[in-house]
Amino acid sequence: MKKIIYIFLLYFFAVAVLPSCKNVQNEPRDLNTLPLIFDPQDLNATLAQQFLNNIYNYLPAGFNRIGGDFLDAASGDAISSLSNTSISYYNNGIVSSTTNPDPYFSNSYNGIRQVNIFLANIDKVPVPPTNLTRTITWKAEARFIRAFLYFELLKRYGGVPLIGDKIFSLDDNLQLSRNTYADCVSYIVSECDAIKGQLNLEPISAATNLGRIPRGAAVALKCRVYLYAASPLFNGGGIEGDATLKALTGYLTYDASRWQNVISAAEELIALNAYSLVQSGTTGYVNIFFQKQNTEVILAKQQINDFALETADSPVGYAVNNVQSAGRTSPTQEFVDAFSTINGLPITDPASGYNPLAPYTNRDPRLNAIVFYNGSLWLNRPGGVQTFDGGLDRPNMPSANQTRTGYYLRKFLADNSTSSSYSAQSHNFVYFRYAEVLLNYAEALNEVGRTEDAVTQLVLLRKRAGLQAGTAARYGIPAGISQTDLRNLIQQNDRRIELSFEEHRFWDLRRWKIANTELNKTLHGMQITKNSNGTFTYQVVPVTTIVFQDKLYHMPIPYTETVTDANLKQNSGW
Amino acid sequence: MVRIFKNIVKHDTMKKLRFLSITIVLCLIGLFASAQNRQIQGTVRDAQGPILGASVHEKGIRTNGVATSIDGKFKITLRGTGQVLVVACQGYTAKEVEVTGNTTVDVTLEATTQDLSEVAVVGYATVPKKTLTGAQSAVSGADIRENPSASLQNTLAGRLTGFISQQTLGQPGADGASFLIRGQSSLNGNNNPLIIVDDVEFSYDQFQNIDANEVESVTVLKDASQTAVYGIKGANGVLVVSTRRGKLGKPRISFRNDYALSQPTILPTYLDAYNTALLVDQANVNDGVTPRWTQADLDLFKNGQDPYGHPNINWHDELFKKFATQNKSTFDVSGGTETIKYFVSLAYIDQGGLTKDFSAGQGYDGNYYNHRYNYRSNINITANKNLEIKIDAYGSIGQVNTPSVYYPSTNGNKNDVFGEYGSFLALAPYAYPIKNPDGSWGYSNYQQSVTNYVTPNIIQRLTLDGYNRANSNNNVLSFQATQKLGFITQGLSAAGEVAYTNNYTSTIGLTRQNLPSYIYDPVAQTYTPAFANVYRLEKLGTNYVASSTQRRITANASLTYDRSFGDHHINALMLYNLSSYTTSLPITNINYSNYNFVPSTTLGTTARATYDYKKKYIVTVSGAYNGTDRFQKHFGFFPSASAAYNIAEEPFFKETIPFIDQLKLRGSYGLVGSDALASGQTYVYLQSYNPSGGNQAISFGETNGVSLPANNGIQEGTLSNANVTWEKSRQLDIGVDFGLFGSKINGQVDVYNYNRYDQLIGRGTVSAIFGQALPPVNLGRTNTRGFEIELNYHDRIGKDFTFNLRGTFSKSTNKIIFEDEASTLYPWQAYTGHPLGAQARYHFLGFYSAADIADPSVAKAAASVTKAGDLKYQDLNGDGVIDARDQAVSDVTNTPVNNFGTQIGFGYKGFSVSALFQGATGFDVAGSEEAIRAFSANFQAIHQQAWTPALGDNAKYPYLTSTRTISDPNFASDFWAISGNYLRLRTAEIAYAFPAKMIRKIGLQSLRIYLSGNNLYTWSSAFKKYALDPEAAYGTPEQVYPPQRVYNMGLSITL
């Protein structure tokens, strides 16, 4: 009896328990693997294309990407409406190698690695007979993004280690040294030149390729790299005493011919004949940013339509679907004052027609497109935006967020002047557009002494902006303007306004080497009092004082990098 | 009945006893006919009823003995001249009864709470405590049941050595403490001990829901000699729960009913509107802006003449009851015959919530609650004398309710009454009137303009917003058979076990949005809708999330050999174990985004052998060869060896130091592993390529802004580590067990030293130029050491007065030996050499005075933000600027170093009193944001002591400001981290058991009434300073449902 039971138990155990140990799916069988992604059988290259798509994600996000704020909130053009957000570290001087809000270091190298993996494997994927250039174009796109990421590093830190096509494994020596600034410039430029013929040629098919890297982007990147390289900070004007360090962050000596490179690159792009300024009266400027496809944008980050930007930046008195707008960005009075009047003359010019009692009338039409001021029309509210003291958009409640300057940022938002709520809109952050190339061109022309040629370029932009032509159709630019005056005009007016909040000014102030004056000052706002008769009294008041230390001309290499890679030299002053 | 009788007859010992007694009776009749010949009869019982099989013998004449029958009855004829009977039974304290002049005696035996004093639970078996060679600490179910807490682990604090627990939450159904055994050792954050309930692995959640009434004992296995049998899962210690099983005897039916009132251990009360407004104005003056509130406003807040324009609401009183209620009923039947023994129980607990019952009348229960049903059926079947079968079915069915108070916020969606209660922005005392004069729900202009906290009326939400409800359903079926294989060789037996666990959870919500409320203007007598276009109450909407099923299959097969050869005794175990776990929980994983029902299997073979000579010299070797499919190299070997020397058994010892009747020296050394990966990591050895997307998804070639499949992305994931393997711990433990004066005083002392190595940690020394996130590698090393003392003293004074004392003390310290840390700029920035979980902190020197601010040589955070009244920190690197480089890694963490408990108990006749004091020292707590920071949190008394020039360094809080400065609690400093040391009256019970004679008349076997409590009193400086519970989560950013103080009264009846 007991033997039978014993045997039965053994049998039961064998039948019930032992089989469960075999054929057990003990690890996931639904993983993507490298051979699956770069599949030699797949003519469609389905996953390989997705791998390339992802590489685009490493391009910077733009807009309010730094803790909810625009990078330009650290450029004197605006401040964050909130105190002590990370962007303010640039303004109050507490940036350090551990607290830099915008390092973009590991992200860039992460992207570069993905590019290198793509380049190393994509040739395994067959080329379809119907599209013989597919692989070539894709490789060029990936290489462009790699070059772009190197430029992101270069403008922040100066020269960084160039790793070529290397895909590191853990056995590799990672104690890399920085390449010089000159090395990096030539590398990026050579990459741009090498791929420009292989990229998607204009016109770009909107249905399939909109947002993919076009040929023009390579030329525009080259133009920008040359522009930075020719600028005072990098063109022999480095702040470092030590020659080795100086070579890492710029050229050792000045060379005027570097401006010529900018001119040729700009002319190369213009000669493509693929791009032009968007013209449609005074709304032309607005349309650049929310029409998905237009003739001016060379490359923008394609994103799904939404209204996150509207919610983040609209004045705080507007609530849509019970979500209060955050009004994150407060443009400064200095920025608003940089706008000329409608005739193109600065407001300090007695002939400009500027009226301090009605400061927002008869101004450069771009003012209305870029800034919300008291009275701007928005979401159909009668009387418009209320940034007067106690107004809906400046209620002066404690602990309530509101503008600190009397202005909110309007640029990039779809035109909701008369709509009842926000709707999903295209918000593609523009990396390169034709206007920038023209401005680069103008700046370089002026620097090599061709001042009147430069004026010609600026006039194109002023005209598009909707300014009045004025005398000799110079749109407010004085006849016979000197090189210095035109340089100031570009720096303080034309380039500043046209490219505002597109992450140019922050870097422009540095490359021009004027940050130590432009970012060492008290910034102002407008205090507006509503009088009992319905009129407003305007008073410019100081809002905050920002500081700039010379070491901030170059960003600190992140602390973790300098301790893990002993050969990575830290920039001067950090 | 007949069958039962037959079974008794079959019973071996019975047979012998009967044979013996009959023989002896016959002999004695013949030999000592002259001696007394008195027959005594009687009944032996315990608190629950008659005891079957108790032995009764005449004192001095061991041979003259009988056993009690099923009714507990016996008859004995006295042979000697003595007048004393000795009544004994295993599991009970033996008793001597004088029978002079009596022919009938009723004897009531007291259960020795300690089966535990004789038997120790070890992995997969029990062993006599005398031959135990390892370190463990155990508590009996009876002790646990003194604590009325609903979660099992909350009853353990202070009772076990080496057990460290922290209860951060008191929410019904979520109030289980987190716990560690001998502290933290693993750098990957996963230090949870293995929990084994009747040989089945349980999760924390499952463990929390075990009903205390089902528990026979809880044992903590601490050193390698105890845990090596669990091999790859043993390194964090093992907590073993044994449940109650039936004993031979008539069915005993027990009811127990507990009714309890609970209230928070601490829940801050906030300043009223007037005092809050004063502080707001004080801050505004400090910030140089116009004070928010004018004198007229302040007057109105103070005199309450404008309850709508200037409300002053005591939210504490509006929101919360004085007490929440808790109701617990248990019912169990146990008993057994020779063939079948059973323990069947049912339990129901209803834990109510602290918020008032606002939703009463809405047709649903929207308050916090926890409803839980527990059932258990433990059956032992003795099929024949060689085959024993156990069939257990048990589980819990629970429902946890939370009121919905959802509101969307750009600052993160909120849905927590307690978080909101503490938030100044959400619920200032003048936030809004609850109701308007016309009966509509109130709101205010003030609240409407608070950025990110446009929170609809809280009382309205509690009334109308519905609930969220989590259902869980945990069922376990276990089948076990043990076959004696005496026909092969004496002492050999084989056993097999299969258990299946199914834990299903789902949530349901009945909620609504857009609640209409109105801003009442008392001057114009107008009502303005608080929210645009919200005029009507929408209907409730249902959402249901079928969350997941977790399944676990456990299978064991074992051979046991237990035999004595004269003075030599051998006990050996060989066990094959398989545990396979599947779940669908979507777990964000570095290399795999979803478990997707891929089983996680651990399997292997475990062996243990113990040899003892005269129970004096004992050696145990054990080991496990087991593995997991989480690593490519599946299997590892985890050996341990331990030895003990019962020196008190030596004759010379007995002669020289007779009062020490037990002294055992023991030591163990072994290797155990941990296969636990850091949270979110699963298949570290597999390289994967993951989809990318979300908001960052690129969208090519579209004009309509809709994402196309072609635009999906895929990317290389975190690199894989093909060599990933388990963490290992070398554990040394040396201990002494002792008993003095007939073991009235007994205890144990243990010292241990653990070296944990091959720990899975992230690389800290690889440059980001590498371009990819790196997998965890087996590099980390830590050391944990400490000692534990356990002391028991129990005795009686006179006949009826008994008392007992139990003290436990555990000290556990740890430090990081290696964690692949890049060489730091300054030595104080290094974490290596400091305890696990240490934090870099500023050192507080005092408050900045105006003179400090003016003095450029005094270091400041940044010239533009530091003001007089800010916290002045030490400038460690002397560069004149306070920044992250001045934060030094601390040596005090949130894990207590010292844990102790003292239990005192008295008994006099039916009365008994016991109290357990428990405490912990050597740790820090801190609050931040809405828990303590002014303007985030509501204002409390401490804020009235904020820095002013007059207070200077006597201030208790930095100067009040609405802006963020270096003084903000988010900057870790030793100003904000305060000592968490506490002492708690954790459990107390006063009980009265009615005399058996009295209650038998009404047909009861026992009747006991008692008052008990949990967390009855706390001594803690954290309480006083910041109104923080010392067990709160470190740096807690908001108020949470606080742990509860429970006052309980109960009644237990046995039929």
Side-chain angles (χ1 to χ4, degrees), chain B residues 328-660:
Chain B
K328 190 176 168 187
S329 301
T330 60
F331 162 79
D332 64 73
V333 186
S334 76
T337 65
E338 285 294 302
T339 322
I340 291 191
K341 300 188 187 69
Y342 50 87
F343 172 83
V344 178
S345 82
L346 276 175
Y348 171 67
I349 185 160
D350 173 6
Q351 261 182 302
L354 262 187
T355 50
K356 292 183 176 170
D357 296 313
F358 294 104
S359 64
Q362 299 297 321
Y364 56 79
D365 187 349
N367 206 337
Y368 287 100
Y369 67 70
N370 173 27
H371 292 168
R372 191 180 75 209
Y373 298 87
N374 288 81
Y375 67 89
R376 176 173 291 273
S377 166
N378 285 357
I379 313 274
N380 288 36
I381 300 169
T382 311
N384 61 40
K385 77 175 186 188
N386 287 326
L387 178 63
E388 168 124 351
I389 293 169
K390 289 184 192 172
I391 299 171
D392 299 351
Y394 56 97
S396 62
I397 296 156
Q399 192 171 68
V400 175
N401 205 57
T402 323
S404 166
V405 287
Y406 176 82
Y407 70 91
S409 157
T410 43
N411 193 28
N413 295 336
K414 314 279 181 179
N415 198 355
D416 178 11
V417 181
F418 289 87
E420 203 165 328
Y421 168 65
S423 166
F424 173 71
L425 297 174
L427 213 57
Y430 44 66
Y432 39 77
I434 295 168
K435 287 262 180 135
N436 290 323
D438 69 345
S440 61
W441 291 100
Y443 207 63
S444 74
N445 281 317
Y446 168 81
Q447 196 62 31
Q448 200 177 40
S449 54
V450 179
T451 308
N452 292 342
Y453 281 84
V454 184
T455 59
N457 189 316
I458 179 78
I459 306 288
Q460 183 186 18
R461 272 178 289 151
L462 280 167
T463 309
L464 299 168
D465 217 8
Y467 59 80
N468 291 298
R469 197 166 283 175
N471 294 293
S472 69
N473 202 333
N474 177 41
N475 295 303
V476 185
L477 280 173
S478 164
F479 176 86
Q480 190 176 351
T482 309
Q483 169 75 40
K484 286 185 187 156
L485 300 173
F487 59 89
I488 298 173
T489 175
Q490 197 63 42
L492 187 68
S493 64
E497 176 177 15
V498 181
Y500 175 76
T501 311
N502 186 312
N503 189 13
Y504 177 75
T505 54
S506 65
T507 57
I508 187 167
L510 187 66
T511 57
R512 67 177 128 210
Q513 290 174 344
N514 293 341
L515 301 170
S517 57
Y518 296 87
I519 299 167
Y520 173 62
D521 180 345
V523 179
Q525 301 208 347
T526 54
Y527 293 86
T528 319
F531 303 99
N533 299 320
V534 179
Y535 302 106
R536 71 182 190 96
L537 195 59
E538 277 178 36
K539 73 175 177 62
L540 286 158
T542 313
N543 60 73
Y544 175 76
V545 183
S547 149
S548 76
T549 305
Q550 298 153 48
R551 303 192 310 151
R552 180 183 296 282
I553 294 164
T554 309
N556 297 327
S558 64
L559 282 175
T560 307
Y561 181 62
D562 187 289
R563 194 164 175 188
S564 296
F565 305 93
D567 289 335
H568 308 271
H569 177 246
I570 288 175
N571 179 297
L573 168 80
M574 179 93 155
L575 178 127
Y576 169 84
N577 169 273
L578 177 148
S579 176
S580 177
Y581 180 68
T582 45
T583 179
S584 67
L585 280 177
I587 290 174
T588 325
N589 180 260
I590 59 160
N591 274 331
Y592 190 55
S593 60
N594 202 314
Y595 267 125
N596 210 16
F597 289 106
V598 180
S600 153
T601 306
T602 320
L603 64 89
T605 309
T606 291
R608 175 174 57 218
T610 300
Y611 163 79
D612 70 78
Y613 176 72
K614 288 187 170 173
K615 298 201 170 159
K616 204 191 296 178
Y617 313 104
I618 309 128
V619 179
T620 301
V621 288
S622 63
Y625 181 73
N626 60 8
T628 165
D629 51 19
R630 287 294 184 265
F631 307 129
Q632 258 183 328
K633 184 193 167 210
H634 294 308
F635 291 97
F637 182 55
F638 303 93
S640 87
S642 57
Y645 177 30
N646 268 319
I647 193 168
E649 301 288 306
E650 299 284 3
F652 70 84
F653 193 91
K654 279 182 181 162
E655 282 158 23
T656 37
I657 321 173
F659 66 90
I660 299 184

Side-chain angles (χ1 to χ4, degrees), chain B residues 124-302:
Chain B
Y124 304 109
T126 55
V127 299
K129 202 161 187 184
K130 208 164 193 180
T131 60
L132 185 70
T133 52
Q136 60 161 245
S137 184
V139 61
S140 72
D143 281 345
I144 287 173
R145 286 187 279 280
E146 281 180 4
N147 186 311
S149 183
S151 292
L152 188 58
Q153 63 261 52
N154 297 356
T155 64
L156 301 175
R159 295 192 188 276
L160 297 164
T161 53
F163 181 86
I164 303 171
S165 79
Q166 275 176 299
Q167 187 193 353
T168 57
L169 267 186
Q171 189 197 325
D175 58 357
S178 57
F179 56 90
L180 300 168
I181 293 174
R182 288 189 167 172
Q184 298 195 54
S185 288
S186 176
L187 288 163
N188 77 17
N190 206 331
N191 284 289
N192 291 353
L194 178 68
I195 300 169
I196 301 287
V197 177
D198 288 345
D199 290 347
V200 177
E201 184 180 336
F202 262 41
S203 70
Y204 264 52
D205 276 349
Q206 291 171 302
F207 174 72
Q208 168 185 319
N209 288 325
I210 296 173
D211 177 31
N213 187 49
E214 299 171 1
V215 175
E216 177 71 33
S217 70
V218 176
T219 307
V220 170
L221 307 181
K222 293 186 287 200
D223 68 348
S225 78
Q226 302 272 287
T227 58
V229 290
Y230 295 101
I232 203 166
K233 287 182 179 294
N236 292 334
V238 183
L239 188 120
V240 180
V241 178
S242 307
T243 58
R244 293 167 72 184
R245 310 203 71 90
K247 289 177 189 156
L248 213 56
K250 278 213 294 198
R252 293 177 170 187
I253 303 172
S254 297
F255 292 99
R256 180 177 160 128
N257 201 303
D258 289 76
Y259 180 78
L261 297 174
S262 65
Q263 61 177 187
T265 53
I266 187 99
L267 183 62
T269 48
Y270 297 112
L271 300 179
D272 64 4
Y274 170 69
N275 282 300
T276 299
L278 273 183
L279 292 182
V280 170
D281 282 1
Q282 184 183 331
N284 291 155
V285 172
N286 288 342
D287 290 345
V289 298
T290 320
R292 170 73 181 88
W293 304 106
T294 62
Q295 190 56 45
D297 290 324
L298 292 172
D299 290 343
L300 287 170
F301 281 131
K302 197 170 187 180

Side-chain angles (χ1 to χ4, degrees), chain B residues 16-29 63:
Chain B
K16 281 176 188 160
L17 270 174
R18 284 174 70 89
F19 177 70
L20 212 65
S21 55
I22 290 165
T23 323
I24 291 163
V25 167
L26 290 174
C27 296
L28 291 176
I29 287 169
T63 46

